[in-house]
């Protein structure tokens, strides 16, 4: 089953994504679970399944996709988690590289990704997102996958010229991370480490790998993170990007206004966004 968050004629909702359109769960059960995060927090995915054979209510062409989880409490990003990427950046540490994204740095499928006007090095990174469905702390590796609700695509846009000895400033500009279009439930992905993952820029294949190449597997990441903090239902772990990023190409390859970036993950989804340039006056006032 695929679940998505969206707005339709100014009303936010969520629903089941089907070939024929969206089955509006907000209309059916929104009085109890107002959004997808609430559904996960109350362990109610099986309630949603009761409606998966209903006729679609809304055409996909009529909606605006929101980030799959619009306001996660925590978004953990994992750096240097693919072998080729580690080689590109000469990474040698054995510990997972972690950093944080803020919810307002996200946008949805089919919506603009905003290149900061103050950057000339806006890079693409296609990644598998893991969405937590069961809260916990100090989670054992052997039990970690029981805490996963599902998976999605993520384009973790990186502002390289603001990414120095830390990652926060390069990862949290508004609407630089695209998340969607759907959450594919965990039962539909028997092995999340056996998926092809690709990023395309203007029709050119720029990243091409398998999630089998992850250095730190999903269960290990969940266990590691929950040694120092708890995870809540609706939290997101972005599991890292394969090699082939623009920063390490010769010549470098970055994203500019009008570019189209696609992240395609086998059996999970196809995320598409167009790059727009932010208003430089607004950024000067905000900086």
């Amino acid at each position: 089953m695929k679940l998505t968050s969206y707005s339709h004629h100014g009303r936010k909702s969520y629903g089941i994504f089907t070939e024929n359109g969206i089955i509006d769960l907000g209309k059916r059960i929104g009085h109890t679970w107002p959004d997808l995060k609430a559904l996960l927090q109350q362990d109610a995915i099986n309630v949603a399944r009761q409606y998966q054979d209903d006729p679609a209510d809304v055409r996909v062409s009529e909606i605006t996709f929101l980030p799959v989880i619009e306001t996660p409490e925590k978004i953990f990003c994992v750096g240097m988690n693919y072998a080729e990427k580690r080689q590109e950046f000469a990474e040698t540490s054995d510990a997972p590289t972690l950093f944080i994204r803020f919810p307002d740095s996200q946008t949805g499928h089919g919506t603009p990704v905003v290149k900061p006007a103050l950057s000339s090095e806006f890079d693409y990174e296609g990644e598998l997102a893991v969405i937590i469905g069961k809260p916990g702390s100090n989670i054992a590796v052997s039990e970690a996958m029981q805490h996963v609700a599902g998976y999605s695509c993520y384009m973790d846009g990186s502002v390289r010229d603001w990414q120095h000895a830390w990652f926060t400033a390069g990862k949290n500009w508004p609407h630089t991370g695209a998340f969607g279009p759907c959450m594919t439930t965990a039962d539909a992905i028997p092995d999340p480490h056996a998926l092809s993952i690709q990023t395309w820029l203007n029709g050119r294949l720029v990243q091409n790998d398998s999630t089998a190449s992850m250095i730190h597997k999903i269960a290990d990441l969940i266990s590691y993170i929950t040694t120092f903090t708890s995870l809540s239902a609706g939290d997101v772990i972005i599991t890292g990007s394969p090699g082939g990023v623009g920063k390490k190409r010769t010549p470098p390859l970055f994203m500019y206004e009008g570019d189209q970036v696609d992240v395609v993950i086998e059996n999970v989804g196809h995320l598409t966004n167009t790059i727009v340039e932010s208003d430089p006056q607004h950024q000067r006032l905000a900086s």
Side-chain angles (χ1 to χ4, degrees):
M1 183 169 64
K2 292 181 181 291
L3 299 169
T4 193
S5 301
Y6 64 93
S7 65
H8 180 241
H9 296 321
R11 180 181 73 92
K12 289 184 179 182
S13 190
Y14 67 106
I16 302 171
F17 183 97
T18 76
E19 293 181 354
N20 298 316
I22 308 296
I23 300 168
D24 186 355
L25 291 175
K27 181 174 71 174
R28 291 165 171 79
I29 57 177
H31 59 285
T32 303
W33 301 285
D35 56 22
L36 182 51
K37 185 170 78 170
L39 190 80
L40 298 180
Q41 289 174 332
Q42 297 299 315
D43 192 23
I45 284 182
N46 284 335
V47 176
R49 293 187 193 281
Q50 299 174 19
Y51 302 99
Q52 61 185 334
D53 295 323
D54 283 11
D57 300 290
V58 185
R59 291 192 293 269
V60 173
S61 61
E62 296 175 341
I63 69 170
T64 299
F65 284 92
L66 301 171
V68 175
I69 306 295
E70 192 174 11
T71 56
E73 291 181 18
K74 296 171 183 168
I75 306 170
F76 284 100
C77 305
V78 184
M80 307 301 164
N81 201 29
Y82 281 76
E84 185 181 353
K85 178 79 170 293
R86 289 170 66 88
Q87 291 174 2
E88 288 177 346
F89 285 83
E91 179 61 48
T92 59
S93 173
D94 292 332
T97 299
L98 296 179
F99 54 92
I100 303 299
R101 258 195 184 274
F102 304 136
D104 63 1
S105 73
Q106 301 188 123
T107 192
H109 167 72
T111 62
V113 165
V114 180
K115 173 195 168 295
L118 299 180
S119 173
S120 58
E121 296 188 357
F122 188 40
D123 208 346
Y124 52 83
E125 294 198 65
E127 310 197 19
L128 176 69
V130 175
I131 300 159
I132 299 299
K134 178 183 174 183
S137 58
N138 295 307
I139 298 170
V141 172
S142 61
E143 299 175 359
M145 298 308 289
Q146 300 172 27
H147 292 256
V148 176
Y151 305 92
S152 190
C153 303
Y154 213 100
M155 201 295 293
D156 184 27
S158 299
V159 186
R160 298 289 187 200
D161 38 3
W162 282 73
Q163 199 173 290
H164 310 294
W166 65 94
F167 293 98
T168 302
K171 294 288 187 175
N172 283 289
W173 298 73
H175 307 299
T176 53
F179 183 15
C182 304
M183 181 187 83
T184 300
T185 53
D187 61 292
I189 307 294
D191 185 357
H193 295 292
L195 308 173
S196 65
I197 178 169
Q198 298 178 331
T199 306
W200 299 75
L201 183 61
N202 297 325
R204 173 185 174 184
L205 181 61
V206 290
Q207 293 182 295
N208 187 20
D209 208 329
S210 166
T211 55
S213 299
M214 284 187 198
I215 303 299
H216 303 288
K217 306 303 185 186
I218 293 166
D220 298 310
L221 292 168
I222 291 171
S223 182
Y224 179 80
I225 290 168
T226 59
T227 59
F228 64 85
T229 189
S230 62
L231 285 172
S232 301
D235 286 352
V236 180
I237 302 172
I238 308 167
T239 56
S241 172
V245 295
K247 176 71 172 179
K248 294 300 181 178
R249 289 179 175 269
T250 306
L253 179 65
F254 296 117
M255 299 187 294
Y256 298 95
E257 185 165 27
D259 287 345
Q260 178 178 309
V261 60
D262 297 78
V263 178
V264 184
I265 303 179
E266 181 181 7
N267 296 331
V268 173
H270 184 158
L271 171 67
T272 300
N273 297 87
T274 300
I275 309 302
V276 300
E277 181 95 8
S278 67
D279 177 8
Q281 179 64 23
H282 172 76
Q283 286 200 354
R284 281 198 297 274
L285 291 171
S287 60

